[in-house]
Amino acid sequence: DLAKNLVIKKRAKKGILKALNIADGTETVVLMEEILERNKGKDFFVPEESLCFDTAREVLESIRQIRTGKGTKEYENADDKKVFQIKTVITEYESTLQEKDLYDDVRLYQEALEELESEGTKNGKDSYEIWEECFESLSFLERSFLEKMTSGNYEKVSLFASDKQVLEESLKGATF
């Protein structure tokens, strides 16, 4: 929600006062399917006979990984032609999101990071805790957002250690 609020603030500064449209998973897959359909028959990296909703979902997930900075082994090992095609699909996808004024999670975090950077780093004294198990599942982009949002003042704590500590504290002085 913090990222969403920052993007709303950024849009308001630009005079864009309409609601933020967050695309759901199905909507983004359908967009990707349309993009792949437009590019079929162009000696593309997705064979024409493989075009379907599931393929679009797989391509979208790979592209999401690339857009968040994680990359994929397939992309890293791709030849120049395939890399160019993938970049073309990414550009088309991002342009379509902008044209339709839609946000997927990557665009949301990218714009939230831009807003944080334009505001400058705040040297707050607040310290934050994030569950280590949650931290490990964050994308590069989400980690960048966390880093910028907290000015690096966060500590990873184990969910299980936290539960154990709460349990121990609640049992202090208890009699059975």
Side-chain angles (χ1 to χ4, degrees), residues 131-133 157-167:
W131 287 326
E132 191 170 344
E133 293 78 7
V157 294
S158 172
L159 172 63
F160 304 110
S162 176
D163 286 346
K164 182 180 176 189
Q165 182 181 1
V166 168
L167 181 61

Side-chain angles (χ1 to χ4, degrees), residues 24-37 45-46 50-67 72 74 89 93 104-105:
D24 66 22
T26 302
E27 195 170 7
T28 57
V29 174
V30 169
L31 286 176
M32 182 55 64
E33 192 173 23
E34 290 170 0
I35 291 167
L36 295 175
E37 191 68 34
F45 68 93
V46 177
S50 296
L51 289 180
C52 66
F53 188 83
D54 289 336
T55 301
R57 182 177 34 232
E58 289 174 25
V59 170
L60 183 63
E61 182 52 34
S62 293
I63 284 173
R64 182 186 179 284
Q65 295 294 316
I66 294 164
R67 291 173 64 222
T72 65
E74 184 178 317
V89 169
Y93 177 74
D104 66 355
D105 62 330

